[in-house]
Amino acid sequence: MPRVVRGSTWSARLGGLAIAACLFGALPALAMDGIVEKKVFEMPSYTTVGGGTIKNVRIGWESYGKLNEAKDNAILITHFFSGNSHAAGKYKPEDAAPGYWDSIIGPGKPLDTDKYFIISSDTLVNLSPKDPTVVTTGPASINPDTGKPYGMSFPIVTIKDFVNVQKALIDSLGIKSLQAVMGGSMGSLQAFEWAADHPDMVKRVIAVIGGPEADPFLIGWLNLWAAPIKLDPNWNNGDYYGKAEPKAGLTEALKLVTLHARHWKWADAAFGRKWAEEGKDPKAAMGNQYAIEAWLDKAASSRAAVSDANHFLYLVKANQTFVTGNGPSLEDGLAKIKAPVLLIPSADDLVFPPDRTMRPLKERLEKQGNTVEYSEAITSTLGHLDGVANIAKAGDTISQFLAK
Amino acid sequence: MPRVVRGSTWSARLGGLAIAACLFGALPALAMDGIVEKKVFEMPSYTTVGGGTIKNVRIGWESYGKLNEAKDNAILITHFFSGNSHAAGKYKPEDAAPGYWDSIIGPGKPLDTDKYFIISSDTLVNLSPKDPTVVTTGPASINPDTGKPYGMSFPIVTIKDFVNVQKALIDSLGIKSLQAVMGGSMGSLQAFEWAADHPDMVKRVIAVIGGPEADPFLIGWLNLWAAPIKLDPNWNNGDYYGKAEPKAGLTEALKLVTLHARHWKWADAAFGRKWAEEGKDPKAAMGNQYAIEAWLDKAASSRAAVSDANHFLYLVKANQTFVTGNGPSLEDGLAKIKAPVLLIPSADDLVFPPDRTMRPLKERLEKQGNTVEYSEAITSTLGHLDGVANIAKAGDTISQFLAK
């Protein structure tokens, strides 16, 4: 059994296989069983773009592969709204599933850990502080000045703040350039911000199911995602720590996120018009449900069990306020980006519809002289979620983009 | 000033113009100022498809144009989720706006009141019982057996129940056939049900922004629409009449309906990333909003003022349970439809996406031998709402379909 150590153990575990590969040719694609661990990056104090101070900042991060001596083989992965830095591997062999992009991260995979040092970083204010593998500072953290959770006194944070803290992490590793910053959904917002803020450091951008700003319709949707939390009397203006928590509101909020990130093709295939319980016709009682309703309740309820309602609200704000470069205009922000950009939308994305997000972005970037590639290869039946579940379909495109 | 009388006064008002038209050629298109009134159809008792009994049933209805002697020039209009039978004209000249499809209903318009007798009927359980022009029976009505509002003891109703009550209205007028049944969104569900239940009576179906069933993804969305109401402690399992009402939950529910029925093109054009208030940067405080958020709050709040939370829940159930013909299968229901069908989707509809709803329906109906026409002429920037706001763009298609 592989030991869990600080840093990825891909290389150690695969020593024998690597030798075999030298002798017998290409390394075979491996099962999703790399063992990884969550690491912690700490800052004694961080001042937000808005001028707020957060003491004892911690974010979780993971890495896969080895940093080379020149320290120039790093790729940074930034995560989506409800995700965290667990992008690949498993913490324990018996984990039910590996990290979310395990299908493209590993030896011989598109993000090849024999070649690249993959760093996957949390954002501030991770949605799921009750997940034991999440260590990231947010409103549920203890404010050292008061000894109590921040709640709504936590400073407002932006995508640029997420990038600033990640930059400090990258600096702490002595890394001066990144082969790529790659992220899905909210992760793509961070990737664009990285490329605008550190144009000489970011060699490539790989943006999946996202966009260069929160468009007005998305701003409206994010408001609706947040609304159920505020309706729950237990939310109590964010002051609920140590009391009954707004679980019902948070569950409804997560139901919205869950459904919005999917598609009717998924609903048809997964449920059809099936009832939730045999013999309980939805026409017979107001409480009788269809299968998709019961599934939404259950899926969101288990997500709510590890999530925090205030963190949800802060993430909504961070997404709503996002424009690449953090203002004054999207045009200004995009003008700062020098790197070639690979755009990977899902054609059926309802959260970041490509016709509003990546298609016009492609044109804008090309117009200003950037190299842009565009692939809808991931499109399947899941809508927005294709960017996580079906990323392997863009594997060749990603490999080739990284090799250029 | 025209008098308000029972029945439309189009003919009376336009007598002079009609003579002028005979003398000088075609009648010019008229401003939306026909004066109409709400009428009431009553049934001493109605037994629902599910076996429940509702006493003293009332639904509102309106009519435009004149029923001819043969009583064979009638067209029935059925309404959408948040609408009512006010499809054309104004109650008073000073009304801010005419009925929702006024652009196609009137003398010389596609639904030509010089030729057709247009009947527009409420459904049971209208969303807005506090609107003084809405008279329709639902959970907020007094149960004659208890002297108190039904609340959640009101029987579950289906789209077929809506059609059954409308059928009684049409029978009461001595009408034996309908030139067409036409409806938008939930109105289209009623139109399909009419055509399946009364195939020898319905000569044409005109279905706008809808579908022949609630698909599983829509069932999920309808669950989410309803959720904020149940989160509001004032909802109190539907027992709130005479007490504080669940206004906050109903407002959030209506925000969801409002946004879901629109599109990013609308949000871009109407708001962009504008702030709600000058000097109040949304990045500066959790409560500072973007313009689209403030608009949603305001629009939904004014809709909530005339709406009823329990009615909302009953309408959600009626829509979720809909399959043309009321089961056992969609195939069975569609097989009953004999009439030619005109399908008018909006290409950008997020509630009834044409690729899931009207496109496959066209194929199914053609396969079973129906005449089907299909037009996306209404598509503009409003998504689902194009079916109301831009129906006039399908005016010629509708005229020609009615003339065949």
Side-chain angles (χ1 to χ4, degrees):
Chain A
M1 289 278 288
R3 287 171 309 132
V4 175
V5 294
R6 280 189 81 86
S8 167
T9 58
W10 286 115
S11 308
R13 295 195 61 230
L14 301 172
L17 266 174
I19 291 164
C22 290
L23 292 172
F24 302 112
L27 196 72
L30 291 164
M32 300 174 180
D33 60 355
I35 296 301
V36 301
E37 61 153 3
K38 186 75 74 181
K39 291 173 279 194
V40 182
F41 172 70
E42 298 182 283
M43 296 172 81
S45 179
Y46 171 71
T47 302
T48 67
V49 173
T53 301
I54 313 171
K55 292 180 187 169
N56 301 353
V57 169
R58 290 154 56 91
I59 59 165
W61 67 288
E62 302 185 3
S63 67
Y64 326 111
K66 263 194 162 174
L67 185 60
N68 63 11
E69 281 193 25
K71 299 188 173 182
D72 65 0
N73 69 331
I75 292 174
L76 176 66
I77 308 282
T78 48
H79 69 74
F80 48 98
F81 188 92
S82 57
N84 66 59
S85 52
H86 192 36
K90 292 183 171 186
Y91 299 123
K92 303 182 296 294
E94 60 269 28
D95 285 356
Y100 65 92
W101 270 350
D102 190 273
S103 65
I104 55 163
I105 301 173
K109 294 181 185 175
L111 301 193
D112 189 344
T113 48
D114 288 337
K115 191 171 173 185
Y116 298 109
F117 179 58
I118 315 290
I119 302 162
S120 181
S121 172
D122 281 353
T123 64
L124 287 168
V125 188
N126 187 281
L127 180 60
S128 307
K130 294 175 192 168
D131 178 331
T133 70
V134 168
V135 297
T136 303
T137 305
S141 304
I142 299 295
N143 178 349
D145 291 342
T146 64
K148 291 177 186 168
Y150 287 97
M152 300 300 282
S153 76
F154 197 78
I156 287 178
V157 286
T158 60
I159 299 292
K160 193 180 181 78
D161 289 304
F162 299 171
V163 168
N164 287 348
V165 174
Q166 288 161 354
K167 173 65 163 51
L169 161 63
I170 299 298
D171 287 347
S172 78
L173 298 170
I175 295 169
K176 302 252 182 304
S177 77
L178 294 165
Q179 289 295 326
V181 180
M182 174 173 180
S185 194
M186 187 179 83
S188 78
L189 314 190
Q190 296 164 68
F192 290 124
E193 189 64 34
W194 258 100
D197 291 356
H198 308 291
D200 296 323
M201 191 170 173
V202 176
K203 292 192 178 170
R204 294 171 191 82
V205 173
I206 305 177
V208 185
I209 53 167
E213 66 175 345
D215 65 80
F217 199 53
L218 181 58
I219 290 173
W221 277 110
L222 288 163
N223 176 297
L224 295 175
W225 287 11
I229 290 171
K230 297 182 193 167
L231 276 175
D232 188 328
N234 288 344
W235 177 59
N236 193 30
N237 290 310
D239 180 11
Y240 53 75
Y241 299 106
K243 306 172 191 167
E245 298 208 358
K247 176 88 195 298
L250 181 57
T251 299
E252 292 302 334
L254 286 163
K255 276 168 68 180
L256 275 163
V257 177
T258 303
L259 198 68
H260 199 185
R262 284 172 172 76
H263 194 261
W264 60 258
K265 291 176 188 167
W266 158 82
D268 281 354
F271 304 103
R273 289 185 46 92
K274 275 201 302 279
W275 302 349
E277 284 184 63
E278 209 184 304
K280 292 203 168 176
D281 184 349
K283 273 182 203 153
M286 288 300 278
N288 291 359
Q289 291 186 313
Y290 288 96
I292 190 171
E293 299 181 273
W295 180 87
L296 280 168
D297 285 343
K298 203 175 159 190
S301 179
S302 68
R303 294 175 83 170
V306 293
S307 302
D308 179 83
N310 288 336
H311 282 226
F312 190 107
L313 300 179
Y314 275 78
L315 284 174
V316 159
K317 185 62 116 173
N319 281 274
Q320 286 180 316
T321 57
F322 179 67
V323 176
T324 295
N326 204 35
S329 76
L330 178 58
E331 201 170 10
D332 289 306
L334 294 181
K336 293 177 191 160
I337 297 179
K338 292 183 185 173
V341 176
L342 170 57
L343 301 173
I344 308 179
S346 160
D348 290 333
D349 193 335
L350 297 170
V351 182
F352 287 100
D355 284 351
R356 173 59 180 83
T357 56
M358 288 194 169
R359 242 179 241 284
L361 176 62
K362 178 176 184 286
E363 284 168 32
R364 292 181 87 145
L365 287 172
E366 282 173 343
K367 207 170 171 184
Q368 70 180 33
N370 293 68
T371 301
V372 187
E373 294 187 35
Y374 188 96
S375 166
E376 289 185 351
I378 59 171
T379 307
S380 177
T381 60
L382 298 175
H384 186 63
L385 197 62
D386 279 331
V388 177
N390 288 302
I391 190 67
K393 293 186 178 184
D396 289 347
T397 306
I398 293 167
S399 303
Q400 288 157 22
F401 181 73
L402 286 172
K404 276 176 193 164
Chain B
M1 291 279 289
R3 285 172 311 130
V4 176
V5 294
R6 280 189 79 87
S8 167
T9 57
W10 288 114
S11 306
R13 295 195 60 231
L14 301 172
L17 267 174
I19 290 164
C22 291
L23 293 172
F24 301 112
L27 197 68
L30 289 164
M32 302 173 179
D33 62 353
I35 296 300
V36 301
E37 61 152 4
K38 186 74 73 181
K39 293 174 278 198
V40 182
F41 173 69
E42 297 182 283
M43 297 173 81
S45 179
Y46 171 72
T47 302
T48 67
V49 174
T53 301
I54 313 169
K55 293 180 186 167
N56 301 353
V57 169
R58 292 154 55 92
I59 58 166
W61 66 289
E62 302 184 3
S63 67
Y64 326 111
K66 263 195 161 171
L67 185 61
N68 64 12
E69 280 194 26
K71 297 189 176 182
D72 64 1
N73 68 333
I75 292 175
L76 176 66
I77 307 282
T78 50
H79 68 75
F80 49 97
F81 188 92
S82 56
N84 66 60
S85 54
H86 190 38
K90 292 182 172 186
Y91 300 123
K92 304 181 297 293
E94 60 270 29
D95 286 355
Y100 65 91
W101 270 349
D102 191 272
S103 65
I104 55 162
I105 301 172
K109 294 183 187 176
L111 302 193
D112 189 345
T113 48
D114 289 336
K115 190 169 174 187
Y116 297 109
F117 179 58
I118 315 289
I119 302 162
S120 181
S121 171
D122 281 352
T123 65
L124 287 168
V125 187
N126 188 281
L127 181 60
S128 307
K130 295 175 192 168
D131 177 331
T133 70
V134 168
V135 297
T136 303
T137 304
S141 304
I142 300 296
N143 178 349
D145 290 343
T146 65
K148 292 176 185 167
Y150 288 96
M152 298 301 282
S153 76
F154 197 79
I156 287 177
V157 287
T158 60
I159 299 292
K160 194 180 181 77
D161 289 303
F162 300 171
V163 168
N164 287 348
V165 174
Q166 287 160 355
K167 173 67 163 50
L169 160 64
I170 298 299
D171 287 348
S172 78
L173 299 170
I175 295 169
K176 303 253 182 303
S177 77
L178 294 165
Q179 289 294 327
V181 181
M182 175 173 181
S185 194
M186 188 179 83
S188 79
L189 314 190
Q190 296 164 67
F192 290 124
E193 189 64 34
W194 259 100
D197 292 355
H198 308 290
D200 297 323
M201 190 169 175
V202 176
K203 293 193 176 170
R204 293 171 192 83
V205 173
I206 305 177
V208 184
I209 54 166
E213 65 175 345
D215 65 79
F217 199 52
L218 181 57
I219 290 173
W221 276 111
L222 288 162
N223 175 296
L224 294 176
W225 287 10
I229 290 170
K230 297 180 192 169
L231 276 176
D232 188 327
N234 287 345
W235 178 58
N236 193 30
N237 290 309
D239 179 13
Y240 54 76
Y241 299 105
K243 307 170 192 169
E245 298 209 356
K247 176 91 194 295
L250 182 56
T251 299
E252 291 302 333
L254 287 163
K255 276 169 66 181
L256 274 163
V257 177
T258 302
L259 198 67
H260 200 184
R262 285 171 171 77
H263 195 263
W264 59 258
K265 292 175 189 169
W266 158 80
D268 281 353
F271 303 102
R273 289 185 46 91
K274 275 202 300 278
W275 301 350
E277 284 185 63
E278 209 183 303
K280 292 202 169 178
D281 184 349
K283 273 183 203 152
M286 289 300 279
N288 290 0
Q289 292 186 313
Y290 288 96
I292 190 171
E293 299 181 273
W295 180 86
L296 280 167
D297 285 343
K298 202 175 160 190
S301 180
S302 70
R303 293 174 84 170
V306 293
S307 300
D308 180 83
N310 289 335
H311 282 226
F312 190 106
L313 299 180
Y314 275 77
L315 284 175
V316 159
K317 186 63 120 176
N319 281 274
Q320 286 181 316
T321 58
F322 179 67
V323 176
T324 296
N326 204 35
S329 77
L330 178 58
E331 200 170 11
D332 290 306
L334 294 181
K336 294 176 189 161
I337 297 179
K338 293 183 184 172
V341 177
L342 169 58
L343 302 173
I344 308 179
S346 160
D348 290 332
D349 193 334
L350 297 170
V351 182
F352 287 100
D355 284 351
R356 174 60 180 84
T357 56
M358 288 193 169
R359 241 179 241 285
L361 176 62
K362 177 176 186 286
E363 283 169 31
R364 293 181 87 144
L365 287 171
E366 282 174 342
K367 207 169 170 182
Q368 71 178 33
N370 293 68
T371 301
V372 188
E373 293 187 36
Y374 189 95
S375 166
E376 289 185 352
I378 58 171
T379 308
S380 178
T381 62
L382 298 175
H384 187 63
L385 197 64
D386 278 331
V388 178
N390 287 302
I391 190 66
K393 293 187 178 184
D396 289 347
T397 306
I398 294 166
S399 302
Q400 288 156 23
F401 181 74
L402 287 171
K404 278 177 192 166

mmCIF file of all heavy atoms in Angstrom, chain A residues 16 59 66 88 96 122 150 169 217 221 232 241 276 322 332:
data_model
loop_
_atom_site.group_PDB
_atom_site.id
_atom_site.type_symbol
_atom_site.label_atom_id
_atom_site.label_comp_id
_atom_site.label_asym_id
_atom_site.label_seq_id
_atom_site.Cartn_x
_atom_site.Cartn_y
_atom_site.Cartn_z
ATOM 1 N N GLY A 16 8.526 1.423 -10.675
ATOM 2 C CA GLY A 16 8.673 0.152 -11.386
ATOM 3 C C GLY A 16 8.073 0.198 -12.772
ATOM 4 O O GLY A 16 8.693 -0.220 -13.756
ATOM 5 N N ILE A 59 -5.268 28.018 2.712
ATOM 6 C CA ILE A 59 -5.969 27.358 1.606
ATOM 7 C C ILE A 59 -5.370 25.974 1.416
ATOM 8 O O ILE A 59 -4.175 25.767 1.647
ATOM 9 C CB ILE A 59 -5.916 28.131 0.261
ATOM 10 C CG1 ILE A 59 -4.474 28.349 -0.217
ATOM 11 C CG2 ILE A 59 -6.682 29.447 0.346
ATOM 12 C CD1 ILE A 59 -4.380 28.777 -1.674
ATOM 13 N N LYS A 66 6.158 15.924 -10.389
ATOM 14 C CA LYS A 66 7.327 16.493 -9.699
ATOM 15 C C LYS A 66 7.734 17.814 -10.323
ATOM 16 O O LYS A 66 7.799 17.931 -11.548
ATOM 17 C CB LYS A 66 8.511 15.526 -9.814
ATOM 18 C CG LYS A 66 8.695 14.616 -8.604
ATOM 19 C CD LYS A 66 10.066 13.960 -8.676
ATOM 20 C CE LYS A 66 10.494 13.408 -7.330
ATOM 21 N NZ LYS A 66 11.751 12.643 -7.444
ATOM 22 N N ALA A 88 -7.338 15.237 -8.654
ATOM 23 C CA ALA A 88 -6.894 13.925 -9.164
ATOM 24 C C ALA A 88 -6.533 13.010 -8.013
ATOM 25 O O ALA A 88 -6.330 13.453 -6.873
ATOM 26 C CB ALA A 88 -5.698 14.105 -10.094
ATOM 27 N N ALA A 96 -14.395 6.436 -2.679
ATOM 28 C CA ALA A 96 -15.388 6.078 -3.696
ATOM 29 C C ALA A 96 -14.992 6.599 -5.078
ATOM 30 O O ALA A 96 -15.204 5.923 -6.087
ATOM 31 C CB ALA A 96 -16.758 6.632 -3.305
ATOM 32 N N ASP A 122 -7.070 25.396 -3.880
ATOM 33 C CA ASP A 122 -8.363 25.916 -3.431
ATOM 34 C C ASP A 122 -8.468 27.405 -3.724
ATOM 35 O O ASP A 122 -7.466 28.089 -3.897
ATOM 36 C CB ASP A 122 -8.497 25.774 -1.903
ATOM 37 C CG ASP A 122 -8.854 24.370 -1.464
ATOM 38 O OD1 ASP A 122 -9.140 23.523 -2.327
ATOM 39 O OD2 ASP A 122 -8.841 24.125 -0.238
ATOM 40 N N TYR A 150 -16.348 34.361 11.696
ATOM 41 C CA TYR A 150 -16.579 35.664 11.051
ATOM 42 C C TYR A 150 -18.059 35.875 10.708
ATOM 43 O O TYR A 150 -18.590 36.958 10.876
ATOM 44 C CB TYR A 150 -15.815 35.738 9.726
ATOM 45 C CG TYR A 150 -14.322 35.882 9.823
ATOM 46 C CD1 TYR A 150 -13.488 34.772 9.723
ATOM 47 C CD2 TYR A 150 -13.736 37.139 9.948
ATOM 48 C CE1 TYR A 150 -12.112 34.900 9.763
ATOM 49 C CE2 TYR A 150 -12.347 37.276 9.987
ATOM 50 C CZ TYR A 150 -11.538 36.153 9.893
ATOM 51 O OH TYR A 150 -10.185 36.283 9.924
ATOM 52 N N LEU A 169 1.022 31.322 -3.013
ATOM 53 C CA LEU A 169 1.362 29.891 -2.949
ATOM 54 C C LEU A 169 2.428 29.538 -3.998
ATOM 55 O O LEU A 169 3.439 28.896 -3.690
ATOM 56 C CB LEU A 169 0.087 29.053 -3.166
ATOM 57 C CG LEU A 169 0.263 27.587 -3.574
ATOM 58 C CD1 LEU A 169 0.982 26.787 -2.480
ATOM 59 C CD2 LEU A 169 -1.088 26.945 -3.896
ATOM 60 N N PHE A 217 -27.307 37.958 -17.180
ATOM 61 C CA PHE A 217 -28.266 36.874 -16.916
ATOM 62 C C PHE A 217 -27.724 35.970 -15.808
ATOM 63 O O PHE A 217 -28.471 35.576 -14.905
ATOM 64 C CB PHE A 217 -28.475 36.072 -18.206
ATOM 65 C CG PHE A 217 -29.736 35.226 -18.248
ATOM 66 C CD1 PHE A 217 -30.973 35.771 -17.980
ATOM 67 C CD2 PHE A 217 -29.669 33.889 -18.621
ATOM 68 C CE1 PHE A 217 -32.135 34.994 -18.053
ATOM 69 C CE2 PHE A 217 -30.823 33.106 -18.701
ATOM 70 C CZ PHE A 217 -32.050 33.658 -18.415
ATOM 71 N N TRP A 221 -29.193 34.811 -12.166
ATOM 72 C CA TRP A 221 -29.280 33.415 -11.700
ATOM 73 C C TRP A 221 -28.564 33.227 -10.366
ATOM 74 O O TRP A 221 -29.064 32.516 -9.478
ATOM 75 C CB TRP A 221 -28.718 32.451 -12.750
ATOM 76 C CG TRP A 221 -29.721 32.098 -13.811
ATOM 77 C CD1 TRP A 221 -29.704 32.483 -15.117
ATOM 78 C CD2 TRP A 221 -30.919 31.336 -13.635
ATOM 79 N NE1 TRP A 221 -30.815 31.990 -15.768
ATOM 80 C CE2 TRP A 221 -31.569 31.281 -14.883
ATOM 81 C CE3 TRP A 221 -31.512 30.674 -12.544
ATOM 82 C CZ2 TRP A 221 -32.780 30.603 -15.081
ATOM 83 C CZ3 TRP A 221 -32.724 30.003 -12.737
ATOM 84 C CH2 TRP A 221 -33.334 29.980 -13.981
ATOM 85 N N ASP A 232 -34.410 31.104 4.674
ATOM 86 C CA ASP A 232 -34.431 30.172 5.806
ATOM 87 C C ASP A 232 -34.236 30.966 7.105
ATOM 88 O O ASP A 232 -33.203 31.613 7.292
ATOM 89 C CB ASP A 232 -33.298 29.150 5.617
ATOM 90 C CG ASP A 232 -33.359 28.028 6.642
ATOM 91 O OD1 ASP A 232 -33.796 28.285 7.785
ATOM 92 O OD2 ASP A 232 -32.963 26.897 6.296
ATOM 93 N N TYR A 241 -23.732 30.041 13.696
ATOM 94 C CA TYR A 241 -22.731 29.056 14.148
ATOM 95 C C TYR A 241 -23.002 28.689 15.606
ATOM 96 O O TYR A 241 -23.253 29.551 16.445
ATOM 97 C CB TYR A 241 -21.322 29.610 13.941
ATOM 98 C CG TYR A 241 -21.051 29.894 12.475
ATOM 99 C CD1 TYR A 241 -21.016 31.198 11.987
ATOM 100 C CD2 TYR A 241 -20.885 28.841 11.570
ATOM 101 C CE1 TYR A 241 -20.797 31.454 10.642
ATOM 102 C CE2 TYR A 241 -20.673 29.093 10.213
ATOM 103 C CZ TYR A 241 -20.630 30.402 9.762
ATOM 104 O OH TYR A 241 -20.430 30.647 8.421
ATOM 105 N N ALA A 276 -41.139 8.786 -7.845
ATOM 106 C CA ALA A 276 -40.114 8.562 -6.818
ATOM 107 C C ALA A 276 -40.349 7.244 -6.099
ATOM 108 O O ALA A 276 -39.415 6.533 -5.753
ATOM 109 C CB ALA A 276 -40.116 9.719 -5.818
ATOM 110 N N PHE A 322 -17.373 39.317 -10.999
ATOM 111 C CA PHE A 322 -16.196 39.023 -11.830
ATOM 112 C C PHE A 322 -16.245 39.626 -13.228
ATOM 113 O O PHE A 322 -17.179 39.401 -14.004
ATOM 114 C CB PHE A 322 -15.980 37.514 -11.970
ATOM 115 C CG PHE A 322 -14.784 37.199 -12.836
ATOM 116 C CD1 PHE A 322 -13.505 37.520 -12.407
ATOM 117 C CD2 PHE A 322 -14.937 36.635 -14.095
ATOM 118 C CE1 PHE A 322 -12.393 37.271 -13.212
ATOM 119 C CE2 PHE A 322 -13.832 36.376 -14.902
ATOM 120 C CZ PHE A 322 -12.562 36.700 -14.461
ATOM 121 N N ASP A 332 -10.492 46.121 -21.178
ATOM 122 C CA ASP A 332 -9.207 46.396 -20.519
ATOM 123 C C ASP A 332 -8.580 45.117 -19.985
ATOM 124 O O ASP A 332 -7.378 44.903 -20.103
ATOM 125 C CB ASP A 332 -9.406 47.362 -19.339
ATOM 126 C CG ASP A 332 -9.740 48.767 -19.815
ATOM 127 O OD1 ASP A 332 -8.979 49.300 -20.621
ATOM 128 O OD2 ASP A 332 -10.774 49.306 -19.380
#
